[in-house]
Amino acid sequence: MRDLLPDMPGGLGVRDLWLARKGKMLLDVPELCLDGPGPTLILGPNGAGKSLLLRCLHGLIAPDRGRVTQGGEPLNDTHKARQAMVFQQPVLLRRSVAANLDFVLRRQSLPRVTRKARMAELLAEGGLDGKARQSARSLSGGEAQRLAILRALALEPETLFLDEPTSALDPGATQAIEQMVLRASARGVRIVMVTHDIGQARRLAADIVMMQGGHVVEHGAAKQVLDAPNSPASRRYLAGGLVT
Ligand SMILES: Nc1ncnc2c1ncn2[C@@H]1O[C@H](COP(=O)(O)OP(=O)(O)OP(=O)(O)O)[C@@H](O)[C@H]1O
Ligand SMILES: [Mg+2]
Protein backbone atom coordinates (compact mmCIF):
# COMPACT_ATOMS: atom_id res chain seq x y z
CA MET A 1 0.00 0.00 0.00
CA ARG A 2 2.78 2.40 0.91
CA ASP A 3 4.15 1.97 -2.60
CA LEU A 4 0.82 3.01 -4.09
CA LEU A 5 -0.01 5.87 -1.78
CA PRO A 6 2.84 8.14 -0.74
CA ASP A 7 3.23 8.94 2.95
CA MET A 8 1.60 12.20 3.87
CA PRO A 9 1.75 13.97 7.20
CA GLY A 10 -1.49 13.69 9.11
CA GLY A 11 -2.28 10.19 7.93
CA LEU A 12 -4.76 8.11 9.88
CA GLY A 13 -3.52 4.70 10.95
CA VAL A 14 -4.26 1.60 12.93
CA ARG A 15 -1.71 -0.62 14.64
CA ASP A 16 -2.48 -4.04 16.17
CA LEU A 17 -6.14 -3.14 16.59
CA TRP A 18 -8.16 -5.80 18.40
CA LEU A 19 -11.77 -5.55 19.53
CA ALA A 20 -13.83 -8.36 21.03
CA ARG A 21 -17.20 -8.63 22.76
CA LYS A 22 -18.29 -11.61 24.85
CA GLY A 23 -15.23 -13.58 23.78
CA LYS A 24 -15.89 -13.05 20.07
CA MET A 25 -13.33 -11.24 17.93
CA LEU A 26 -14.99 -8.37 16.06
CA LEU A 27 -11.93 -6.52 14.72
CA ASP A 28 -8.40 -7.77 14.19
CA VAL A 29 -6.42 -5.30 12.10
CA PRO A 30 -2.62 -5.50 12.49
CA GLU A 31 -1.97 -2.47 10.33
CA LEU A 32 -3.88 0.01 8.23
CA CYS A 33 -2.53 3.28 6.95
CA LEU A 34 -4.86 5.82 5.34
CA ASP A 35 -2.30 8.32 4.20
CA GLY A 36 -3.21 8.85 0.56
CA PRO A 37 -5.13 11.73 -0.91
CA GLY A 38 -8.33 9.66 -0.76
CA PRO A 39 -11.25 9.27 -0.80
CA THR A 40 -10.94 5.92 0.95
CA LEU A 41 -13.95 3.62 0.52
CA ILE A 42 -14.52 0.69 2.88
CA LEU A 43 -16.36 -2.28 1.37
CA GLY A 44 -17.34 -5.70 2.62
CA PRO A 45 -20.33 -7.90 3.45
CA ASN A 46 -22.80 -7.32 6.31
CA GLY A 47 -21.12 -7.85 9.66
CA ALA A 48 -17.59 -7.47 8.26
CA GLY A 49 -16.74 -4.82 10.85
CA LYS A 50 -16.90 -1.73 8.61
CA SER A 51 -18.96 0.39 11.01
CA LEU A 52 -16.92 -0.77 14.00
CA LEU A 53 -13.69 0.18 12.25
CA LEU A 54 -15.13 3.61 11.43
CA ARG A 55 -16.15 4.07 15.09
CA CYS A 56 -12.65 3.09 16.25
CA LEU A 57 -11.04 5.50 13.76
CA HIS A 58 -13.35 8.26 15.08
CA GLY A 59 -12.53 7.42 18.70
CA LEU A 60 -16.14 6.48 19.54
CA ILE A 61 -15.05 2.99 20.57
CA ALA A 62 -11.78 2.25 22.34
CA PRO A 63 -10.26 -1.00 21.06
CA ASP A 64 -9.35 -3.70 23.60
CA ARG A 65 -5.81 -3.71 22.26
CA GLY A 66 -3.79 -1.65 19.81
CA ARG A 67 -4.24 1.92 18.82
CA VAL A 68 -5.50 4.39 16.29
CA THR A 69 -2.95 6.98 15.26
CA GLN A 70 -3.14 10.32 13.53
CA GLY A 71 0.07 11.72 12.08
CA GLY A 72 2.07 9.16 14.05
CA GLU A 73 0.52 10.11 17.41
CA PRO A 74 -2.11 8.16 19.35
CA LEU A 75 -5.54 9.59 18.51
CA ASN A 76 -6.26 12.36 21.04
CA ASP A 77 -9.04 14.86 21.71
CA THR A 78 -7.47 17.46 19.43
CA HIS A 79 -7.47 14.97 16.56
CA LYS A 80 -11.03 13.91 17.35
CA ALA A 81 -12.19 17.53 17.30
CA ARG A 82 -11.00 17.68 13.70
CA GLN A 83 -13.05 14.64 12.69
CA ALA A 84 -16.73 14.48 11.80
CA MET A 85 -19.08 11.55 11.16
CA VAL A 86 -22.17 11.17 9.00
CA PHE A 87 -24.41 8.15 9.61
CA GLN A 88 -26.76 6.16 7.38
CA GLN A 89 -29.75 7.89 9.02
CA PRO A 90 -29.13 11.65 9.20
CA VAL A 91 -28.91 12.97 12.76
CA LEU A 92 -30.60 16.38 12.84
CA LEU A 93 -32.10 18.74 15.41
CA ARG A 94 -35.86 19.36 15.42
CA ARG A 95 -35.28 22.89 14.23
CA SER A 96 -34.95 24.76 10.94
CA VAL A 97 -32.26 23.94 8.40
CA ALA A 98 -30.45 27.18 9.28
CA ALA A 99 -30.68 26.49 13.03
CA ASN A 100 -29.12 23.08 12.50
CA LEU A 101 -26.11 24.72 10.86
CA ASP A 102 -26.01 27.66 13.25
CA PHE A 103 -25.83 25.25 16.19
CA VAL A 104 -22.51 23.96 14.87
CA LEU A 105 -21.19 27.33 13.65
CA ARG A 106 -21.84 29.02 17.03
CA ARG A 107 -19.48 26.60 18.72
CA GLN A 108 -16.62 28.00 16.67
CA SER A 109 -16.72 31.52 18.14
CA LEU A 110 -16.61 33.15 14.72
CA PRO A 111 -17.48 36.83 14.32
CA ARG A 112 -21.18 37.22 13.45
CA VAL A 113 -20.44 38.40 9.90
CA THR A 114 -18.18 35.43 9.23
CA ARG A 115 -20.77 33.06 10.67
CA LYS A 116 -23.44 34.43 8.35
CA ALA A 117 -21.11 34.11 5.37
CA ARG A 118 -20.25 30.51 6.33
CA MET A 119 -23.96 29.73 6.66
CA ALA A 120 -24.65 31.06 3.15
CA GLU A 121 -21.70 29.11 1.75
CA LEU A 122 -22.84 25.90 3.38
CA LEU A 123 -26.46 26.27 2.25
CA ALA A 124 -25.25 26.83 -1.32
CA GLU A 125 -22.85 23.88 -1.08
CA GLY A 126 -25.73 21.58 -0.16
CA GLY A 127 -28.21 23.12 -2.62
CA LEU A 128 -30.40 24.11 0.34
CA ASP A 129 -30.35 27.90 -0.18
CA GLY A 130 -34.09 28.09 -0.57
CA LYS A 131 -34.79 25.94 2.47
CA ALA A 132 -32.99 27.74 5.30
CA ARG A 133 -36.20 28.35 7.24
CA GLN A 134 -37.81 24.98 6.57
CA SER A 135 -38.01 22.52 9.43
CA ALA A 136 -35.23 19.94 9.11
CA ARG A 137 -37.77 17.23 9.88
CA SER A 138 -39.78 18.08 6.78
CA LEU A 139 -36.82 17.62 4.40
CA SER A 140 -36.73 14.75 1.93
CA GLY A 141 -34.32 11.90 2.69
CA GLY A 142 -31.74 13.26 0.26
CA GLU A 143 -32.06 16.83 1.55
CA ALA A 144 -31.79 15.64 5.14
CA GLN A 145 -28.61 13.73 4.36
CA ARG A 146 -27.20 16.77 2.54
CA LEU A 147 -27.90 18.83 5.66
CA ALA A 148 -26.23 16.18 7.84
CA ILE A 149 -23.15 16.43 5.63
CA LEU A 150 -23.24 20.24 5.81
CA ARG A 151 -23.37 20.02 9.61
CA ALA A 152 -20.28 17.82 9.49
CA LEU A 153 -18.54 20.18 7.04
CA ALA A 154 -19.43 23.17 9.23
CA LEU A 155 -16.93 21.76 11.73
CA GLU A 156 -14.25 22.20 9.05
CA PRO A 157 -13.03 18.68 9.67
CA GLU A 158 -9.71 17.30 8.61
CA THR A 159 -11.35 13.89 8.27
CA LEU A 160 -14.96 13.14 7.37
CA PHE A 161 -16.29 9.64 8.05
CA LEU A 162 -19.45 8.58 6.25
CA ASP A 163 -21.19 5.27 7.04
CA GLU A 164 -23.38 4.27 4.08
CA PRO A 165 -24.74 7.80 3.64
CA THR A 166 -26.61 7.00 0.42
CA SER A 167 -27.95 3.52 1.10
CA ALA A 168 -31.53 4.78 1.56
CA LEU A 169 -31.45 7.22 -1.36
CA ASP A 170 -32.43 7.12 -5.02
CA PRO A 171 -29.83 7.63 -7.79
CA GLY A 172 -30.42 11.37 -8.12
CA ALA A 173 -30.07 12.02 -4.40
CA THR A 174 -27.07 9.68 -4.30
CA GLN A 175 -25.38 11.62 -7.08
CA ALA A 176 -25.87 14.91 -5.21
CA ILE A 177 -24.21 13.43 -2.11
CA GLU A 178 -21.37 11.96 -4.18
CA GLN A 179 -20.69 15.40 -5.68
CA MET A 180 -20.53 16.92 -2.17
CA VAL A 181 -18.11 14.20 -1.09
CA LEU A 182 -15.89 14.74 -4.13
CA ARG A 183 -15.88 18.52 -3.63
CA ALA A 184 -14.95 18.10 0.04
CA SER A 185 -12.17 15.73 -0.95
CA ALA A 186 -10.90 18.19 -3.57
CA ARG A 187 -10.79 20.86 -0.82
CA GLY A 188 -8.49 18.60 1.18
CA VAL A 189 -10.92 16.90 3.57
CA ARG A 190 -9.82 13.30 4.16
CA ILE A 191 -12.82 11.14 3.25
CA VAL A 192 -13.31 7.67 4.77
CA MET A 193 -16.63 6.23 3.62
CA VAL A 194 -18.40 2.88 3.96
CA THR A 195 -20.52 1.67 1.07
CA HIS A 196 -22.11 -1.48 -0.31
CA ASP A 197 -22.39 0.14 -3.71
CA ILE A 198 -19.54 -1.06 -5.93
CA GLY A 199 -20.45 1.50 -8.61
CA GLN A 200 -20.14 4.21 -5.96
CA ALA A 201 -16.73 2.88 -4.93
CA ARG A 202 -15.65 3.03 -8.55
CA ARG A 203 -16.94 6.60 -8.90
CA LEU A 204 -15.42 7.97 -5.69
CA ALA A 205 -12.54 5.92 -4.36
CA ALA A 206 -8.84 6.57 -4.73
CA ASP A 207 -8.18 3.60 -2.48
CA ILE A 208 -10.34 0.77 -1.18
CA VAL A 209 -10.27 -1.12 2.10
CA MET A 210 -11.93 -4.51 1.72
CA MET A 211 -13.14 -6.13 4.95
CA GLN A 212 -14.44 -9.53 5.95
CA GLY A 213 -14.96 -11.19 9.32
CA GLY A 214 -13.32 -8.37 11.25
CA HIS A 215 -10.20 -8.40 9.07
CA VAL A 216 -8.91 -6.04 6.41
CA VAL A 217 -8.47 -8.55 3.61
CA GLU A 218 -7.12 -6.04 1.11
CA HIS A 219 -6.19 -2.37 0.87
CA GLY A 220 -5.07 -0.93 -2.42
CA ALA A 221 -5.64 1.57 -5.18
CA ALA A 222 -9.30 1.49 -6.22
CA LYS A 223 -8.69 0.35 -9.77
CA GLN A 224 -6.46 -2.51 -8.66
CA VAL A 225 -8.86 -3.74 -5.96
CA LEU A 226 -11.91 -3.49 -8.21
CA ASP A 227 -10.39 -4.83 -11.42
CA ALA A 228 -7.73 -7.22 -10.15
CA PRO A 229 -8.38 -8.02 -6.49
CA ASN A 230 -5.61 -9.94 -4.78
CA SER A 231 -7.61 -11.59 -2.02
CA PRO A 232 -10.11 -14.41 -2.61
CA ALA A 233 -12.49 -12.67 -0.16
CA SER A 234 -12.41 -9.50 -2.29
CA ARG A 235 -13.03 -11.53 -5.44
CA ARG A 236 -16.03 -13.26 -3.85
CA TYR A 237 -17.51 -10.00 -2.58
CA LEU A 238 -17.06 -8.20 -5.89
CA ALA A 239 -18.48 -11.12 -7.86
CA GLY A 240 -21.52 -11.29 -5.59
CA GLY A 241 -21.92 -7.55 -5.57
CA LEU A 242 -21.87 -7.32 -9.33
CA VAL A 243 -24.38 -10.10 -9.79
CA THR A 244 -27.01 -8.75 -7.39
N1 LIG B 1 -21.60 -4.17 20.95
C1 LIG B 1 -21.51 -5.31 20.26
N2 LIG B 1 -21.57 -6.50 20.88
C2 LIG B 1 -21.47 -7.64 20.18
N3 LIG B 1 -21.32 -7.70 18.84
C3 LIG B 1 -21.26 -6.55 18.18
C4 LIG B 1 -21.34 -5.29 18.84
N4 LIG B 1 -21.26 -4.32 17.90
C5 LIG B 1 -21.13 -4.95 16.72
N5 LIG B 1 -21.13 -6.27 16.88
C6 LIG B 1 -20.97 -7.28 15.82
O1 LIG B 1 -19.78 -7.01 15.12
C7 LIG B 1 -19.90 -7.37 13.76
C8 LIG B 1 -19.49 -6.22 12.88
O2 LIG B 1 -20.45 -5.18 13.01
P1 LIG B 1 -20.45 -3.90 12.08
O3 LIG B 1 -21.62 -3.08 12.47
O4 LIG B 1 -19.12 -3.25 12.13
O5 LIG B 1 -20.67 -4.56 10.64
P2 LIG B 1 -20.74 -3.85 9.22
O6 LIG B 1 -19.60 -4.35 8.39
O7 LIG B 1 -20.85 -2.38 9.40
O8 LIG B 1 -22.07 -4.47 8.62
P3 LIG B 1 -23.28 -3.79 7.78
O9 LIG B 1 -22.84 -3.84 6.35
O10 LIG B 1 -24.43 -4.70 8.03
O11 LIG B 1 -23.49 -2.39 8.29
C9 LIG B 1 -21.36 -7.81 13.56
O12 LIG B 1 -21.41 -9.21 13.57
C10 LIG B 1 -22.06 -7.24 14.78
O13 LIG B 1 -23.16 -8.03 15.16
MG1 LIG C 1 -22.34 -1.00 9.10
Side-chain angles (χ1 to χ4, degrees):
M1 197 58 230
R2 283 169 183 275
D3 294 335
L4 296 168
L5 300 171
D7 271 347
M8 278 174 53
L12 189 59
V14 152
R15 176 77 69 177
D16 297 324
L17 190 83
W18 172 273
L19 181 76
R21 291 287 179 273
K22 294 177 184 158
K24 183 175 179 288
M25 179 279 284
L26 300 180
L27 279 180
D28 179 6
V29 183
E31 191 184 7
L32 181 65
C33 189
L34 307 182
D35 57 2
T40 299
L41 274 276
I42 303 178
L43 272 79
N46 293 127
K50 305 179 296 296
S51 295
L52 285 177
L53 179 65
L54 224 54
R55 283 171 160 78
C56 286
L57 291 172
H58 191 27
L60 291 175
I61 302 178
D64 299 310
R65 292 209 300 271
R67 60 171 49 155
V68 174
T69 59
Q70 173 83 64
E73 295 172 357
L75 193 72
N76 59 37
D77 288 344
T78 310
H79 300 134
K80 285 191 218 174
R82 308 233 40 212
Q83 297 179 336
M85 173 88 100
V86 171
F87 298 92
Q88 189 171 4
Q89 296 299 331
V91 180
L92 300 171
L93 302 172
R94 291 167 176 250
R95 300 184 196 170
S96 71
V97 167
N100 266 272
L101 294 175
D102 205 42
F103 181 81
V104 179
L105 292 173
R106 273 176 191 277
R107 290 194 290 179
Q108 292 169 15
S109 49
L110 302 166
R112 194 160 168 272
V113 186
T114 314
R115 205 170 71 224
K116 286 200 140 196
R118 274 295 284 149
M119 167 83 76
E121 263 173 36
L122 287 164
L123 288 168
E125 169 58 25
L128 294 174
D129 328 53
K131 300 198 177 270
R133 293 179 177 281
Q134 191 173 324
S135 150
R137 289 178 57 85
S138 67
L139 294 174
S140 72
E143 290 165 348
Q145 193 58 291
R146 270 157 35 214
L147 178 56
I149 294 174
L150 293 180
R151 275 173 59 102
L153 292 175
L155 294 164
E156 300 200 28
E158 187 175 302
T159 306
L160 176 60
F161 299 107
L162 303 106
D163 195 350
E164 300 195 46
T166 62
S167 60
L169 303 181
D170 70 22
T174 295
Q175 192 187 24
I177 302 278
E178 289 182 1
Q179 293 303 321
M180 289 178 79
V181 167
L182 285 175
R183 284 195 297 270
S185 177
R187 288 195 304 271
V189 181
R190 179 182 300 282
I191 302 289
V192 184
M193 174 166 163
V194 174
T195 187
H196 278 286
D197 180 342
I198 293 163
Q200 181 166 72
R202 201 176 278 285
R203 291 188 294 275
L204 299 186
D207 59 308
I208 289 181
V209 174
M210 193 65 83
M211 295 191 71
Q212 189 182 24
H215 303 281
V216 169
V217 293
E218 186 159 357
H219 179 204
K223 195 166 165 41
Q224 176 261 304
V225 175
L226 294 172
D227 295 340
N230 288 321
S231 101
S234 300
R235 282 199 284 276
R236 276 197 304 277
Y237 179 77
L238 292 169
L242 289 171
V243 170
T244 53

